[in-house]
């Protein structure tokens, strides 16, 4: 029913728009837009556009080229599907493309006005970036907080070992979610927000974060026809209000509690916590963050940082289990590089080139954010001989770039070997592999994600042998994707672990 409503509204609204456009066409200057499908071709593909836009856009780009125009409602969307053009947008013309398109759902509680993700380049945005770079993601800060990540990882391994001893299967994504959530919450607040023994509490927080990510990524009729905003026909803003209300209540409650405890501890001469929140509260004048801004910055860090890391680890384990020869190679490298009784640490990752290749291959095949975060063009720009008009939405289709046969040999196959003895990395310099974006708006959390994904994947493989649960075989795994702001698996990965250590 939801999809039928979208189709009806899109058809009615777009037909009205086309009629008005024809009536007033003479008053508008003609510009050379990139080629693209007609309105009727879009309607024929509306089901795929709604459910799997990353796939639909990729198919259309094979017809219309690596720069393509889509017109739905009164928004002009330009889709980029090649590394050369992505470089022009994200780096060479970064000033013109540095603003964001703001989805209607992210205007809840004016989140877009205090969000490092959606703010346009401004002094406020630069201040947020500076705070995150110095208080959260600097090499020195990450080194000082690695003991927290190590402890949370130890708890994950303990949980998996307990399941192994009992012969029970586990939902790997759910277990990894709890670990990543608590790693981030302890780094920020010195506090667990979930635990593996409280499955209900963990699942509730997981539902909130995943629900927010899914609804933030869904095609929304209101984004095409803003006049429908007050009606919220798909109910997306209403659901987002529920998610953000719960998250803001949790985060603001922690800030309130800390501010009160700091006063009493300072008065009594006791030590205060040495975490990100305390660092910000100690330097309020320097950070220039109000309490409301702190809440929304932390909200961004939770939503973006948790889901993308979990999705990447789960896809990596799924592909390794589906390709037992690759799993064997990864484990053999770990056994050779790391002693049997040695505790894996972040510094060990440099000794594991095949594991690093596995992660790169996952970033290529299953980019956590398949469209990155859409950009907004601030001025008319010419790209590859075509005009990108001011206020157009610009999408970089990483999924299409990662599966382009002109760039990658056997693009649909999981082949980590393609990255061995290869200089391509994912730090924003090689535009055929930019899972964190590039240019001035590259993901500020990339340094933490880099460490977390490699260490967690290596630790799971070093301490356990793995097999699929419920009698499933590699040949019959469901590898379908579920589109949202992040690209997760349709079917959760259920596995059984066999402990390699007593």
């Amino acid at each position: 029913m939801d999809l039928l409503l979208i189709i009806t509204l899109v058809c009615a609204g777009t037909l009205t728009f086309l009629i008005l456009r024809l009536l007033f066409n003479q008053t508008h200057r003609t510009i050379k837009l990139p080629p693209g499908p007609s309105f009727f071709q879009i309607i024929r593909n509306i089901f795929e556009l709604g459910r799997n836009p990353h796939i639909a856009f990729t198919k259309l780009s094979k017809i219309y080229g690596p720069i393509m125009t889509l017109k739905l409602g009164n928004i002009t969307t330009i889709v980029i599907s090649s590394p050369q053009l992505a470089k022009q947008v994200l780096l060479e013309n970064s000033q013109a493309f540095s603003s964001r398109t703001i989805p209607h759902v992210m205007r809840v509680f004016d989140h877009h006005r205090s969000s490092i993700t959606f703010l346009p380049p401004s002094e406020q945005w630069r201040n947020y970036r500076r705070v995150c770079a110095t208080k959260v993601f600097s090499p020195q800060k990450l080194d000082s907080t690695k003991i927290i990540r190590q402890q949370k990882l130890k708890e994950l391994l303990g949980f998996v070992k307990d399941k192994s001893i009992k012969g029970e299967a586990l939902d790997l994504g759910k277990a990894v979610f709890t670990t990543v959530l608590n790693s981030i919450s302890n780094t920020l607040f010195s506090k667990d927000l979930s635990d593996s023994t409280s499955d209900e509490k963990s699942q509730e927080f997981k539902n909130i974060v995943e629900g927010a990510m899914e609804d933030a990524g869904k095609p929304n009729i209101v984004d095409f026809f803003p006049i429908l905003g007050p009606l919220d026909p798909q109910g997306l803003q209403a659901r987002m209000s529920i998610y953000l209300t719960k998250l803001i209540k949790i985060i603001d409650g922690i800030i309130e509690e800390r501010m009160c405890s700091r006063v009493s501890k300072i008065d009594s001469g006791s030590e205060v916590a040495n975490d990100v929140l305390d660092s910000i509260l100690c330097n309020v004048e320097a950070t220039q963050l109000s309490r409301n801004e702190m809440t929304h910055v932390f909200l961004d860090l939770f939503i973006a940082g948790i889901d993308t890391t979990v999705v990447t680890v789960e896809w990596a384990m799924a592909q390794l289990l589906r390709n037992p020869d690759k799993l064997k190679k990864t484990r053999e490298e770990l056994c050779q590089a790391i002693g049997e009784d040695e505790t894996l640490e972040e510094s060990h990752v440099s000794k594991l080139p095949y594991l690093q290749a596995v992660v790169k291959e996952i970033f290529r095949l299953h980019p956590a954010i398949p469209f990155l975060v859409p950009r907004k063009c601030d001025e008319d720009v010419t790209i590859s001989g075509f005009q990108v008009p001011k206020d157009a939405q610009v999408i970089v289709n990483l999924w299409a770039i990662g599966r382009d046969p002109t760039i990658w040999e056997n693009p649909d196959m999981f082949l980590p070997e393609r990255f061995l003895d290869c200089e391509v990395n994912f730090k924003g310099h090689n535009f055929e592999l930019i899972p964190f974006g590039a240019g001035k708006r590259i993901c500020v959390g990339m340094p933490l994600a880099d460490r977390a994904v490699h260490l967690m994947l290596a630790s799971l493989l070093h301490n356990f042998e793995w097999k699929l649960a419920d009698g499933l075989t590699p040949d019959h795994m469901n590898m379908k994707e579920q589109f949202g702001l992040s690209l997760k698996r349709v079917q959760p990965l259920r596995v059984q672990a066999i402990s390699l250590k007593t």
Side-chain angles (χ1 to χ4, degrees):
M1 191 67 185
D2 187 50
L3 188 58
L4 180 60
L5 176 64
I6 296 173
I7 294 171
T8 302
L9 291 172
V10 167
C11 291
T14 304
L15 283 172
T16 302
F17 174 78
L18 288 174
I19 292 169
L20 291 173
R21 186 179 175 187
L22 287 170
L23 289 173
F24 295 100
N25 192 47
Q26 298 302 316
T27 66
H28 291 277
R29 59 192 175 91
T30 302
I31 62 174
K32 187 183 178 183
L33 288 172
S38 68
F39 165 70
F40 297 103
Q41 288 172 303
I42 291 173
I43 292 302
R44 281 202 299 270
N45 293 282
I46 195 71
F47 285 96
E48 191 166 8
L49 281 169
R51 292 173 180 170
N52 296 295
H54 58 303
I55 298 174
F57 288 1
T58 300
K59 290 178 179 177
L60 289 171
S61 72
K62 291 177 180 178
I63 300 171
Y64 297 101
I67 180 168
M68 172 178 69
T69 302
L70 292 176
K71 197 75 177 177
L72 280 174
N74 55 0
I75 287 184
T76 298
T77 297
I78 307 297
V79 182
I80 302 296
S81 304
S82 82
Q84 295 81 13
L85 296 181
K87 184 177 182 179
Q88 288 188 46
V89 169
L90 302 178
L91 189 64
E92 295 171 4
N93 294 279
S94 62
Q95 189 65 36
F97 294 107
S98 56
S99 292
R100 301 290 201 193
T101 299
I102 302 170
H104 185 249
V105 294
M106 299 315 297
R107 297 177 184 271
V108 171
F109 304 130
D110 283 336
H111 177 64
H112 64 292
R113 298 185 187 277
S114 300
S115 166
I116 192 171
T117 302
F118 293 106
L119 274 171
S122 60
E123 187 55 40
Q124 182 187 14
W125 173 77
R126 283 187 285 273
N127 183 47
Y128 287 5
R129 295 276 300 193
R130 186 164 54 248
V131 169
C132 289
T134 58
K135 305 295 183 184
V136 189
F137 301 119
S138 70
Q140 297 81 5
K141 191 66 181 179
L142 290 177
D143 285 343
S144 71
T145 57
K146 67 180 180 182
I147 190 170
I148 294 173
R149 294 187 292 279
Q150 205 77 49
Q151 177 58 36
K152 296 301 131 185
L153 188 54
K154 184 178 179 181
E155 292 172 10
L156 171 63
L157 298 177
F159 170 74
V160 175
K161 186 173 182 179
D162 183 59
K163 289 285 188 180
S164 172
I165 292 170
K166 294 177 181 178
E168 296 177 353
L170 67 138
D171 181 328
L172 187 70
K174 188 183 293 185
V176 170
F177 178 92
T178 299
T179 302
V180 176
L181 167 62
N182 286 336
S183 292
I184 292 178
S185 65
N186 273 276
T187 298
L188 300 180
F189 308 133
S190 301
K191 186 184 186 77
D192 278 354
L193 289 182
S194 184
D195 65 84
S196 56
T197 60
S198 178
D199 191 63
E200 183 178 341
K201 184 178 179 182
S202 179
Q203 185 61 43
E204 180 185 9
F205 210 101
K206 189 171 187 287
N207 289 343
I208 293 171
V209 173
E210 288 188 344
M213 290 290 284
E214 183 178 345
D215 283 346
K218 279 183 179 177
N220 187 356
I221 187 67
V222 175
D223 291 328
F224 304 127
F225 301 101
I227 196 173
L228 297 174
L231 300 177
D232 189 23
Q234 292 166 254
L236 293 177
Q237 192 171 62
R239 288 199 297 274
M240 187 64 74
S241 296
I242 295 171
Y243 297 137
L244 294 196
T245 296
K246 292 178 179 179
L247 289 173
I248 288 171
K249 182 179 180 181
I250 292 169
I251 294 169
D252 191 60
I254 292 171
I255 295 173
E256 172 67 24
E257 181 184 353
R258 178 65 60 82
M259 291 175 72
C260 294
S261 67
R262 273 180 58 81
V263 173
S264 61
K265 286 181 178 180
I266 291 172
D267 289 343
S268 64
S270 303
E271 289 187 11
V272 294
N274 183 27
D275 54 28
V276 172
L277 176 56
D278 189 64
S279 179
I280 291 175
L281 291 174
C282 280
N283 300 276
V284 171
E285 290 186 9
T287 60
Q288 301 176 352
L289 292 181
S290 68
R291 178 165 166 177
N292 181 65
E293 288 175 326
M294 281 185 223
T295 300
H296 284 273
V297 168
F298 286 138
L299 185 62
D300 270 357
L301 294 177
F302 269 108
I303 291 179
I306 296 172
D307 203 52
T308 51
T309 301
V310 174
V311 163
T312 301
V313 172
E314 189 174 12
W315 274 116
M317 287 294 290
Q319 284 288 6
L320 288 170
L321 285 165
R322 190 170 181 243
N323 296 271
D325 57 324
K326 314 301 181 189
L327 176 58
K328 183 180 178 182
K329 279 188 181 182
T330 311
R331 295 198 66 255
E332 284 177 349
E333 179 184 66
L334 281 160
C335 291
Q336 291 169 7
I338 315 296
E340 184 177 341
D341 298 321
E342 193 174 356
T343 300
L344 256 168
E345 296 186 2
E346 291 171 354
S347 59
H348 288 133
V349 172
S350 61
K351 303 177 183 178
L352 303 169
Y354 194 79
L355 178 86
Q356 293 177 55
V358 167
V359 173
K360 288 179 183 177
E361 182 71 339
I362 293 302
F363 285 149
R364 180 190 72 83
L365 268 177
H366 307 286
I369 310 292
F371 288 161
L372 293 179
V373 180
R375 304 293 182 101
K376 179 184 176 183
C377 189
D378 289 329
E379 59 188 71
D380 290 349
V381 179
T382 300
I383 299 289
S384 192
F386 296 105
Q387 185 111 34
V388 179
K390 182 181 178 181
D391 294 329
Q393 174 177 248
V394 180
I395 289 174
V396 178
N397 189 351
L398 296 189
W399 196 90
I401 293 173
R403 307 220 178 200
D404 188 338
T406 67
I407 304 171
W408 310 100
E409 187 177 352
N410 298 316
D412 294 325
M413 292 183 66
F414 177 66
L415 292 172
E417 289 79 4
R418 73 175 83 242
F419 289 106
L420 295 176
D421 301 319
C422 172
E423 296 300 317
V424 172
N425 64 46
F426 51 81
K427 304 297 177 66
H429 306 295
N430 305 107
F431 284 79
E432 62 266 48
L433 190 71
I434 48 170
F436 299 98
K440 66 169 65 177
R441 298 214 69 149
I442 192 169
C443 175
V444 71
M446 179 180 65
L448 177 57
D450 182 9
R451 296 188 185 208
V453 167
H454 286 93
L455 183 63
M456 191 173 302
L457 183 60
S459 297
L460 290 170
L461 297 173
H462 186 54
N463 287 274
F464 303 95
E465 287 186 357
W466 296 87
K467 65 178 183 179
L468 295 165
D470 310 319
L472 191 66
T473 62
D475 292 340
H476 293 89
M477 289 179 70
N478 185 344
M479 301 297 282
K480 290 183 179 179
E481 301 155 331
Q482 178 179 322
F483 184 85
L485 195 57
S486 63
L487 196 62
K488 54 177 59 69
R489 290 172 52 77
V490 166
Q491 186 174 46
L493 183 62
R494 283 181 48 79
V495 292
Q496 283 188 299
I498 303 165
S499 180
L500 298 172
K501 298 184 180 180
T502 57

